[in-house]
Amino acid sequence: MQKFRIYAILAAGLLASSVLPAHSATLRFGAQGDVTSFDPYVIDETFSSGFLGNVYEGLVRRAADLSIEPALAESWETVSPTHWRFHLRKGVKFHDGSPFTADDVLFSAERLRAPGSDFKNRLSPDTKVIKVDDYTVDFVTDAPNPIIYYQWGNWYMMSKAWAEKHNDHGPQKAGGEESFATLNENGTGAFKLTSREPGIKTVLVANPDWWGASSRQDNVTDVIFTPIPNSATRVAALLSGQLDMITPVPLQDIDRIKANPGTKVITGPELRTVYIFMDQFRPELLYSNIKGKNPLKDHRVREALYRAIDIEALKSKVMRGMSTPTALMVAPGINGSDPSFKRIPYDPAKAKALLAEAGYPDGFEIGLDCPNDRYVNDEAICVAVGNMFAKVGVKVKVNAQTKSKFFEKVLAPKLDFSLGLIGSTPPSFDSWAPINSLHQCPRVSPSSEVWAEGERDKVTNGKSNYGGYCNPEVDKLADQILKETDQTKRNDLIKQVWTITTGDIAYLPLHQQWLAWGVRDGIELKQRADDVFDWRYVKITK
């Protein structure tokens, strides 16, 4: 009953907004989850970061085809193999009217490296950020880094003066002290925040002083965003005309929306890989009936879990064909992806034999955490995988909850999980990003001898390696990949890493999900393969 009341309130709010005085260029859209925080450094999550990309901007940005474009930096060049110079765009103003200068870049670099930041891997620890003058900034590294700015598309610049004025103490993780930046913003982007009601509604208006206003491709004057976790309510709002766009479309409703006069579905493969991560660092699992040891440290157990997954059944029954099974942690289209890698075959009999060989002939119990409002059919995937594990003797207790609670629970510093389902898209669209973030040993600094569980919120390498997978050879190769400027040699090094990590079964890769956006007639937009909704490309014709 309580859940019904919540959805009824949401639906009433949508209806109320639809009968307000109509504005010819008001964009109304809904998604299954909300923006986690308006602080752009709190969480490296595609929806939140992509949403904030309409408000904040980086030195560079990604176009609809994901190519790199100048943004707050109008040009850049290499002074030497270890020295990059960026020339900032002049005349840019933050939303409060203050100018954007090199001081803000240096401040943003410091904030990026703060303990609560989830974007530390955007700048290597050795990178020095140097102000040359008010509109020139140098980035100097100890070794060559040919892709230094490839991950900067969602490293957004913040105002130093604004942060100091509001007593900013850096990014604050969910559940911690709430900072001014959590509910407020001061970006340089095309849209400005006017009201924020977390979990209910967020309203923004076009920025008339945006530096790119003269060349903007959209005609959107204001945006009303409503998070709607219930799929039926979300679809009904689109079909009734209360919303202009929804994401994602539930797979079971695609044909219904296509058949409805006035609505359509835009689909396409996404660059996101959905996978299961495993606690490989604790001596004893938090959620298991096995005491005194950690079964996931045993390669045979990890292989058994892999072989227990019927990936084709997952694709056909849970994903309704809207997924691409994968053996790698990167999608086709990401540099370094290689079709020669194949999944370990589905073989439940072999899985049982491996468990028995590892000392678990009767299996064991384990917990699986997952979100229920972040990825396509995420909870259903967890339930299906749990059932598959149960068939080989591993009894799974699925804990599905809203993404804000899920991320707070499983991400650093809590790392409160045994198994977890998550998805990732490399911000650089290059394999080095997931190699560094997911596969390098989580260390506070490159010189650290061992990774520190109690300091996981401070790590640079391996920042998203929540399960603590560590292989010294991978660390060594990752460092070589970052420095290598010869593309052929670099891709060979990447292949060596994938050979090692797939052999180690560092993760249980599942698939790349497909995008499904619901759009009403009269709305033109561009669907990016990274699932970022960029309002710069929206045109409202009726």
Side-chain angles (χ1 to χ4, degrees):
M1 179 63 70
Q2 181 66 27
K3 182 179 292 187
F4 174 80
R5 290 175 60 193
I6 292 172
Y7 295 146
I9 291 170
L10 283 171
L14 283 170
L15 183 60
S17 68
S18 70
V19 299
L20 290 173
H23 196 296
S24 61
T26 297
L27 172 66
R28 305 160 303 166
F29 83 100
Q32 66 180 355
D34 199 2
V35 182
T36 303
S37 170
F38 255 73
D39 186 325
Y41 294 176
V42 163
I43 186 167
D44 188 4
E45 182 242 341
T46 300
F47 180 78
S48 294
S49 187
F51 188 106
L52 294 181
N54 296 288
V55 175
Y56 284 96
E57 297 176 295
L59 299 179
V60 300
R61 68 186 180 195
R62 295 280 178 174
D65 64 359
L66 302 183
S67 60
I68 295 175
E69 296 181 332
L72 295 183
E74 59 184 2
S75 65
W76 54 89
E77 73 267 1
T78 51
V79 179
S80 75
T82 60
H83 186 172
W84 292 81
R85 175 159 291 172
F86 283 75
H87 302 280
L88 307 184
R89 195 177 297 276
K90 297 179 180 178
V92 175
K93 293 182 179 180
F94 285 100
H95 293 160
D96 67 356
S98 61
F100 165 70
T101 69
D103 290 332
D104 301 305
V105 178
L106 268 63
F107 168 76
S108 297
E110 292 178 0
R111 202 174 190 276
L112 184 83
R113 289 164 162 162
S117 169
D118 200 29
F119 290 78
K120 295 183 184 70
N121 65 343
R122 299 312 194 265
L123 284 176
S124 61
D126 68 287
T127 302
K128 300 177 181 64
V129 187
I130 303 167
K131 174 181 176 180
V132 178
D133 58 42
D134 282 348
Y135 296 98
T136 310
V137 178
D138 286 355
F139 293 84
V140 181
T141 58
D142 290 346
N145 181 353
I147 61 168
I148 188 170
Y149 59 90
Y150 282 30
Q151 297 194 96
W152 291 0
N154 62 353
W155 171 29
Y156 303 132
M157 298 294 109
M158 295 186 68
S159 165
K160 177 182 179 182
W162 181 78
E164 292 176 346
K165 176 182 178 181
H166 296 288
N167 198 29
D168 178 77
H169 295 296
Q172 303 298 315
K173 293 288 187 182
E177 178 186 355
E178 188 174 276
S179 70
F180 189 75
T182 302
L183 296 174
N184 300 275
E185 61 83 14
N186 187 34
T188 60
F191 293 87
K192 301 192 297 184
L193 179 67
T194 59
S195 68
R196 169 77 172 146
E197 298 174 84
I200 301 175
K201 185 171 67 173
T202 300
V203 181
L204 305 97
V205 64
N207 175 17
D209 298 319
W210 183 44
W211 61 267
S214 62
S215 60
R216 67 188 307 158
Q217 301 178 39
D218 69 289
N219 67 340
V220 178
T221 55
D222 49 319
V223 177
I224 301 173
F225 165 66
T226 309
I228 311 175
N230 181 267
S231 297
T233 304
R234 196 164 64 249
V235 170
L238 176 69
L239 295 176
S240 65
Q242 296 178 48
L243 290 179
D244 302 314
M245 183 268 194
I246 63 170
T247 179
V249 172
L251 300 182
Q252 66 272 17
D253 290 314
I254 289 178
D255 290 341
R256 179 185 174 199
I257 293 175
K258 286 181 176 179
N260 179 67
T263 56
K264 60 186 175 182
V265 178
I266 302 175
T267 62
E270 188 182 356
L271 296 177
R272 182 188 316 280
T273 299
V274 177
Y275 59 93
I276 293 174
F277 56 99
M278 302 170 279
D279 178 353
Q280 301 176 55
F281 68 89
R282 289 187 175 94
E284 180 180 302
L285 293 175
L286 296 178
Y287 301 98
S288 176
N289 64 331
I290 302 299
K291 304 303 177 184
K293 59 180 177 178
N294 180 345
L296 298 177
K297 287 180 175 285
D298 192 317
H299 184 280
R300 294 167 296 185
V301 172
R302 299 197 301 276
E303 182 180 342
L305 295 180
Y306 199 131
R307 289 185 180 277
I309 299 172
D310 186 346
I311 199 67
E312 291 301 325
L314 204 63
K315 176 181 178 180
S316 62
K317 296 180 180 179
V318 178
M319 299 301 292
R320 300 185 181 228
M322 296 281 286
S323 65
T324 304
T326 184
L328 286 180
M329 297 292 287
V330 291
I334 301 294
N335 180 62
S337 179
D338 189 330
S340 68
F341 287 90
K342 306 298 180 184
R343 287 185 60 84
I344 298 174
Y346 168 60
D347 189 339
K350 178 67 173 177
K352 290 180 180 179
L354 285 166
L355 288 171
E357 184 182 326
Y360 307 100
D362 299 321
F364 55 88
E365 298 174 7
I366 196 168
L368 170 60
D369 285 279
C370 65
N372 58 18
D373 61 354
R374 179 61 194 96
Y375 312 110
V376 178
N377 282 2
D378 39 17
E379 183 174 1
I381 292 170
C382 285
V383 171
V385 169
N387 289 336
M388 293 172 186
F389 287 170
K391 290 180 179 179
V392 301
V394 177
K395 302 173 184 65
V396 176
K397 182 178 181 180
V398 173
N399 178 32
Q401 52 189 335
T402 185
K403 67 177 183 179
S404 59
K405 294 182 178 178
F406 167 78
F407 288 137
E408 180 184 355
K409 182 177 188 291
V410 306
L411 271 55
K414 289 187 177 180
L415 302 176
D416 183 10
F417 68 91
S418 290
L419 295 174
L421 179 130
I422 204 166
S424 67
T425 306
S428 63
F429 306 107
D430 179 89
S431 287
W432 183 83
I435 288 172
N436 166 258
S437 181
L438 301 175
H439 296 85
Q440 282 199 271
C441 196
R443 302 179 191 278
V444 174
S445 69
S447 61
S448 300
E449 291 298 324
V450 294
W451 63 281
E453 179 183 350
E455 298 183 292
R456 287 298 298 276
D457 205 31
K458 301 177 183 178
V459 300
T460 51
N461 291 341
K463 81 169 187 71
S464 299
N465 183 357
Y466 310 122
Y469 165 78
C470 282
N471 186 313
E473 186 62 22
V474 170
D475 285 353
K476 179 181 176 182
L477 288 168
D479 291 339
Q480 293 176 26
I481 291 167
L482 184 62
K483 302 171 186 176
E484 183 56 64
T485 57
D486 183 291
Q487 192 61 44
T488 300
K489 293 180 180 178
R490 191 171 181 276
N491 283 343
D492 180 64
L493 292 170
I494 289 173
K495 186 170 184 177
Q496 290 182 50
V497 169
W498 292 142
T499 301
I500 294 170
T501 58
T502 56
D504 287 344
I505 312 181
Y507 294 90
L508 303 178
L510 298 178
H511 55 242
Q512 282 90 38
Q513 64 183 25
W514 279 47
L515 298 172
W517 295 3
V519 184
R520 74 163 178 85
D521 289 351
I523 301 293
E524 299 176 8
L525 51 78
K526 293 183 180 180
Q527 186 180 71
R528 284 173 43 167
D530 60 352
D531 198 24
V532 167
F533 184 24
D534 193 335
W535 310 338
R536 290 185 298 138
Y537 300 110
V538 176
K539 288 185 179 179
I540 302 175
T541 59
K542 63 179 180 178

